[in-house]
mmCIF file of all heavy atoms in Angstrom:
data_model
loop_
_atom_site.group_PDB
_atom_site.id
_atom_site.type_symbol
_atom_site.label_atom_id
_atom_site.label_comp_id
_atom_site.label_asym_id
_atom_site.label_seq_id
_atom_site.Cartn_x
_atom_site.Cartn_y
_atom_site.Cartn_z
ATOM 1 N N GLY B 333 23.599 -22.391 -16.349
ATOM 2 C CA GLY B 333 24.193 -22.858 -15.110
ATOM 3 C C GLY B 333 24.084 -21.873 -13.950
ATOM 4 O O GLY B 333 24.763 -22.022 -12.912
ATOM 5 N N VAL B 334 23.244 -20.833 -14.099
ATOM 6 C CA VAL B 334 23.058 -19.887 -13.005
ATOM 7 C C VAL B 334 22.255 -20.525 -11.884
ATOM 8 O O VAL B 334 21.219 -21.156 -12.135
ATOM 9 C CB VAL B 334 22.334 -18.589 -13.515
ATOM 10 C CG1 VAL B 334 21.983 -17.692 -12.376
ATOM 11 C CG2 VAL B 334 23.193 -17.904 -14.518
ATOM 12 N N HIS B 335 22.745 -20.414 -10.685
ATOM 13 C CA HIS B 335 22.098 -21.048 -9.531
ATOM 14 C C HIS B 335 21.552 -20.004 -8.570
ATOM 15 O O HIS B 335 21.871 -18.821 -8.645
ATOM 16 C CB HIS B 335 23.144 -21.913 -8.768
ATOM 17 C CG HIS B 335 23.535 -23.163 -9.502
ATOM 18 N ND1 HIS B 335 24.743 -23.303 -10.132
ATOM 19 C CD2 HIS B 335 22.807 -24.278 -9.759
ATOM 20 C CE1 HIS B 335 24.767 -24.492 -10.720
ATOM 21 N NE2 HIS B 335 23.621 -25.093 -10.526
ATOM 22 N N ASN B 336 20.770 -20.504 -7.617
ATOM 23 C CA ASN B 336 20.286 -19.705 -6.480
ATOM 24 C C ASN B 336 21.420 -18.869 -5.859
ATOM 25 O O ASN B 336 22.478 -19.433 -5.541
ATOM 26 C CB ASN B 336 19.762 -20.646 -5.366
ATOM 27 C CG ASN B 336 18.283 -20.642 -5.282
ATOM 28 O OD1 ASN B 336 17.612 -20.238 -6.228
ATOM 29 N ND2 ASN B 336 17.736 -21.051 -4.144
ATOM 30 N N GLY B 337 21.169 -17.601 -5.733
ATOM 31 C CA GLY B 337 22.149 -16.760 -5.035
ATOM 32 C C GLY B 337 23.270 -16.215 -5.915
ATOM 33 O O GLY B 337 24.015 -15.341 -5.490
ATOM 34 N N ASP B 338 23.401 -16.724 -7.138
ATOM 35 C CA ASP B 338 24.430 -16.187 -8.050
ATOM 36 C C ASP B 338 24.104 -14.719 -8.358
ATOM 37 O O ASP B 338 22.938 -14.361 -8.475
ATOM 38 C CB ASP B 338 24.452 -16.969 -9.397
ATOM 39 C CG ASP B 338 25.100 -18.322 -9.230
ATOM 40 O OD1 ASP B 338 25.557 -18.660 -8.108
ATOM 41 O OD2 ASP B 338 25.114 -19.093 -10.231
ATOM 42 N N ARG B 339 25.138 -13.913 -8.502
ATOM 43 C CA ARG B 339 24.926 -12.521 -8.808
ATOM 44 C C ARG B 339 25.066 -12.313 -10.332
ATOM 45 O O ARG B 339 26.067 -12.701 -10.927
ATOM 46 C CB ARG B 339 25.937 -11.622 -8.082
ATOM 47 C CG ARG B 339 25.462 -11.241 -6.679
ATOM 48 C CD ARG B 339 25.721 -12.350 -5.671
ATOM 49 N NE ARG B 339 27.120 -12.629 -5.533
ATOM 50 C CZ ARG B 339 27.609 -13.831 -5.197
ATOM 51 N NH1 ARG B 339 26.789 -14.839 -4.985
ATOM 52 N NH2 ARG B 339 28.909 -14.032 -5.098
ATOM 53 N N ILE B 340 24.030 -11.717 -10.937
ATOM 54 C CA ILE B 340 24.039 -11.391 -12.365
ATOM 55 C C ILE B 340 23.987 -9.852 -12.457
ATOM 56 O O ILE B 340 23.047 -9.252 -11.979
ATOM 57 C CB ILE B 340 22.808 -11.978 -13.060
ATOM 58 C CG1 ILE B 340 22.655 -13.492 -12.756
ATOM 59 C CG2 ILE B 340 22.857 -11.705 -14.553
ATOM 60 C CD1 ILE B 340 23.764 -14.357 -13.252
ATOM 61 N N ALA B 341 25.054 -9.289 -13.005
ATOM 62 C CA ALA B 341 25.144 -7.824 -13.005
ATOM 63 C C ALA B 341 24.480 -7.226 -14.255
ATOM 64 O O ALA B 341 24.339 -7.889 -15.294
ATOM 65 C CB ALA B 341 26.601 -7.427 -12.953
ATOM 66 N N THR B 342 24.042 -5.989 -14.122
ATOM 67 C CA THR B 342 23.537 -5.227 -15.246
ATOM 68 C C THR B 342 24.222 -3.860 -15.266
ATOM 69 O O THR B 342 24.565 -3.305 -14.219
ATOM 70 C CB THR B 342 22.010 -4.980 -15.216
ATOM 71 O OG1 THR B 342 21.696 -4.242 -14.042
ATOM 72 C CG2 THR B 342 21.256 -6.301 -15.237
ATOM 73 N N LEU B 343 24.401 -3.330 -16.476
ATOM 74 C CA LEU B 343 25.009 -2.039 -16.696
ATOM 75 C C LEU B 343 24.139 -1.477 -17.804
ATOM 76 O O LEU B 343 24.440 -1.618 -18.989
ATOM 77 C CB LEU B 343 26.465 -2.207 -17.133
ATOM 78 C CG LEU B 343 27.427 -1.049 -16.950
ATOM 79 C CD1 LEU B 343 27.712 -0.807 -15.441
ATOM 80 C CD2 LEU B 343 28.754 -1.331 -17.653
ATOM 81 N N ALA B 344 23.018 -0.890 -17.418
ATOM 82 C CA ALA B 344 21.984 -0.633 -18.452
ATOM 83 C C ALA B 344 21.108 0.548 -18.117
ATOM 84 O O ALA B 344 20.929 0.914 -16.937
ATOM 85 C CB ALA B 344 21.130 -1.883 -18.650
ATOM 86 N N TRP B 345 20.510 1.098 -19.173
ATOM 87 C CA TRP B 345 19.553 2.181 -19.039
ATOM 88 C C TRP B 345 18.187 1.608 -18.615
ATOM 89 O O TRP B 345 18.027 0.412 -18.464
ATOM 90 C CB TRP B 345 19.339 2.859 -20.422
ATOM 91 C CG TRP B 345 20.599 3.450 -21.007
ATOM 92 C CD1 TRP B 345 21.258 3.006 -22.114
ATOM 93 C CD2 TRP B 345 21.331 4.585 -20.522
ATOM 94 N NE1 TRP B 345 22.351 3.805 -22.355
ATOM 95 C CE2 TRP B 345 22.424 4.776 -21.405
ATOM 96 C CE3 TRP B 345 21.170 5.455 -19.444
ATOM 97 C CZ2 TRP B 345 23.354 5.806 -21.232
ATOM 98 C CZ3 TRP B 345 22.084 6.502 -19.279
ATOM 99 C CH2 TRP B 345 23.154 6.643 -20.142
ATOM 100 N N ASN B 346 17.242 2.530 -18.457
ATOM 101 C CA ASN B 346 15.861 2.118 -18.157
ATOM 102 C C ASN B 346 15.204 1.589 -19.435
ATOM 103 O O ASN B 346 15.050 2.354 -20.396
ATOM 104 C CB ASN B 346 15.029 3.295 -17.644
ATOM 105 C CG ASN B 346 15.512 3.742 -16.247
ATOM 106 O OD1 ASN B 346 16.511 3.237 -15.753
ATOM 107 N ND2 ASN B 346 14.792 4.659 -15.661
ATOM 108 N N GLY B 347 14.844 0.325 -19.439
ATOM 109 C CA GLY B 347 14.239 -0.251 -20.638
ATOM 110 C C GLY B 347 13.646 -1.616 -20.333
ATOM 111 O O GLY B 347 13.839 -2.151 -19.242
ATOM 112 N N TYR B 348 12.904 -2.141 -21.315
ATOM 113 C CA TYR B 348 12.169 -3.377 -21.088
ATOM 114 C C TYR B 348 13.084 -4.568 -20.847
ATOM 115 O O TYR B 348 12.728 -5.455 -20.074
ATOM 116 C CB TYR B 348 11.192 -3.648 -22.250
ATOM 117 C CG TYR B 348 11.881 -3.986 -23.557
ATOM 118 C CD1 TYR B 348 11.896 -5.282 -24.026
ATOM 119 C CD2 TYR B 348 12.485 -2.991 -24.337
ATOM 120 C CE1 TYR B 348 12.496 -5.585 -25.250
ATOM 121 C CE2 TYR B 348 13.091 -3.288 -25.527
ATOM 122 C CZ TYR B 348 13.111 -4.583 -25.998
ATOM 123 O OH TYR B 348 13.707 -4.902 -27.158
ATOM 124 N N ARG B 349 14.250 -4.598 -21.476
ATOM 125 C CA ARG B 349 15.146 -5.738 -21.254
ATOM 126 C C ARG B 349 15.702 -5.709 -19.834
ATOM 127 O O ARG B 349 15.833 -6.732 -19.179
ATOM 128 C CB ARG B 349 16.286 -5.733 -22.258
ATOM 129 C CG ARG B 349 15.827 -6.031 -23.686
ATOM 130 C CD ARG B 349 17.058 -6.154 -24.608
ATOM 131 N NE ARG B 349 16.693 -6.359 -26.001
ATOM 132 C CZ ARG B 349 16.924 -5.484 -26.985
ATOM 133 N NH1 ARG B 349 17.539 -4.317 -26.703
ATOM 134 N NH2 ARG B 349 16.601 -5.744 -28.237
ATOM 135 N N HIS B 350 15.968 -4.518 -19.353
ATOM 136 C CA HIS B 350 16.438 -4.356 -17.993
ATOM 137 C C HIS B 350 15.356 -4.834 -16.994
ATOM 138 O O HIS B 350 15.632 -5.507 -16.008
ATOM 139 C CB HIS B 350 16.829 -2.898 -17.712
ATOM 140 C CG HIS B 350 17.903 -2.727 -16.658
ATOM 141 N ND1 HIS B 350 18.472 -1.501 -16.394
ATOM 142 C CD2 HIS B 350 18.444 -3.575 -15.779
ATOM 143 C CE1 HIS B 350 19.362 -1.642 -15.411
ATOM 144 N NE2 HIS B 350 19.358 -2.868 -15.015
ATOM 145 N N MET B 351 14.122 -4.457 -17.329
ATOM 146 C CA MET B 351 12.960 -4.926 -16.523
ATOM 147 C C MET B 351 12.878 -6.431 -16.520
ATOM 148 O O MET B 351 12.660 -7.087 -15.496
ATOM 149 C CB MET B 351 11.691 -4.319 -17.142
ATOM 150 C CG MET B 351 10.400 -4.742 -16.493
ATOM 151 S SD MET B 351 9.847 -3.509 -15.280
ATOM 152 C CE MET B 351 8.194 -4.134 -14.942
ATOM 153 N N GLU B 352 13.032 -7.052 -17.697
ATOM 154 C CA GLU B 352 12.993 -8.513 -17.770
ATOM 155 C C GLU B 352 14.046 -9.165 -16.908
ATOM 156 O O GLU B 352 13.810 -10.144 -16.229
ATOM 157 C CB GLU B 352 13.174 -8.959 -19.236
ATOM 158 C CG GLU B 352 11.992 -8.629 -20.150
ATOM 159 C CD GLU B 352 12.322 -8.632 -21.634
ATOM 160 O OE1 GLU B 352 13.423 -9.113 -22.030
ATOM 161 O OE2 GLU B 352 11.474 -8.133 -22.422
ATOM 162 N N LEU B 353 15.228 -8.531 -16.917
ATOM 163 C CA LEU B 353 16.341 -9.091 -16.123
ATOM 164 C C LEU B 353 16.050 -8.963 -14.627
ATOM 165 O O LEU B 353 16.355 -9.857 -13.837
ATOM 166 C CB LEU B 353 17.649 -8.400 -16.478
ATOM 167 C CG LEU B 353 18.292 -8.927 -17.786
ATOM 168 C CD1 LEU B 353 19.348 -7.953 -18.318
ATOM 169 C CD2 LEU B 353 18.895 -10.310 -17.561
ATOM 170 N N TYR B 354 15.468 -7.817 -14.217
ATOM 171 C CA TYR B 354 15.088 -7.654 -12.815
ATOM 172 C C TYR B 354 14.273 -8.882 -12.359
ATOM 173 O O TYR B 354 14.527 -9.467 -11.328
ATOM 174 C CB TYR B 354 14.186 -6.425 -12.633
ATOM 175 C CG TYR B 354 14.854 -5.130 -12.285
ATOM 176 C CD1 TYR B 354 15.997 -4.679 -12.933
ATOM 177 C CD2 TYR B 354 14.282 -4.296 -11.323
ATOM 178 C CE1 TYR B 354 16.558 -3.477 -12.601
ATOM 179 C CE2 TYR B 354 14.854 -3.078 -10.978
ATOM 180 C CZ TYR B 354 15.988 -2.668 -11.626
ATOM 181 O OH TYR B 354 16.522 -1.451 -11.292
ATOM 182 N N TYR B 355 13.244 -9.212 -13.185
ATOM 183 C CA TYR B 355 12.316 -10.267 -12.758
ATOM 184 C C TYR B 355 12.885 -11.655 -13.011
ATOM 185 O O TYR B 355 12.696 -12.570 -12.180
ATOM 186 C CB TYR B 355 10.956 -10.075 -13.437
ATOM 187 C CG TYR B 355 10.176 -8.987 -12.739
ATOM 188 C CD1 TYR B 355 10.226 -7.673 -13.200
ATOM 189 C CD2 TYR B 355 9.419 -9.252 -11.606
ATOM 190 C CE1 TYR B 355 9.529 -6.664 -12.537
ATOM 191 C CE2 TYR B 355 8.719 -8.256 -10.959
ATOM 192 C CZ TYR B 355 8.764 -6.963 -11.440
ATOM 193 O OH TYR B 355 8.092 -5.972 -10.764
ATOM 194 N N ALA B 356 13.575 -11.838 -14.133
ATOM 195 C CA ALA B 356 14.117 -13.155 -14.454
ATOM 196 C C ALA B 356 15.133 -13.582 -13.401
ATOM 197 O O ALA B 356 15.053 -14.662 -12.780
ATOM 198 C CB ALA B 356 14.756 -13.161 -15.823
ATOM 199 N N VAL B 357 16.063 -12.685 -13.145
ATOM 200 C CA VAL B 357 17.187 -13.015 -12.225
ATOM 201 C C VAL B 357 16.668 -13.129 -10.796
ATOM 202 O O VAL B 357 16.896 -14.147 -10.123
ATOM 203 C CB VAL B 357 18.289 -11.912 -12.343
ATOM 204 C CG1 VAL B 357 19.364 -12.146 -11.258
ATOM 205 C CG2 VAL B 357 18.912 -11.915 -13.709
ATOM 206 N N GLY B 358 15.957 -12.090 -10.329
ATOM 207 C CA GLY B 358 15.448 -12.155 -8.943
ATOM 208 C C GLY B 358 14.398 -13.260 -8.783
ATOM 209 O O GLY B 358 14.430 -14.012 -7.786
ATOM 210 N N GLY B 359 13.520 -13.418 -9.751
ATOM 211 C CA GLY B 359 12.454 -14.385 -9.658
ATOM 212 C C GLY B 359 12.963 -15.820 -9.597
ATOM 213 O O GLY B 359 12.334 -16.664 -8.947
ATOM 214 N N MET B 360 14.065 -16.102 -10.265
ATOM 215 C CA MET B 360 14.577 -17.479 -10.302
ATOM 216 C C MET B 360 15.379 -17.792 -9.069
ATOM 217 O O MET B 360 15.757 -18.952 -8.860
ATOM 218 C CB MET B 360 15.415 -17.702 -11.564
ATOM 219 C CG MET B 360 16.756 -16.988 -11.556
ATOM 220 S SD MET B 360 17.623 -17.105 -13.159
ATOM 221 C CE MET B 360 18.225 -18.797 -13.081
#
Side-chain angles (χ1 to χ4, degrees):
Chain B
V334 173
H335 289 107
N336 252 20
D338 286 357
R339 275 79 63 210
I340 308 297
T342 61
L343 202 69
W345 301 112
N346 292 5
Y348 68 105
R349 292 185 183 115
H350 207 172
M351 176 97 170
E352 289 161 12
L353 281 164
Y354 267 46
Y355 282 94
V357 173
M360 71 188 284

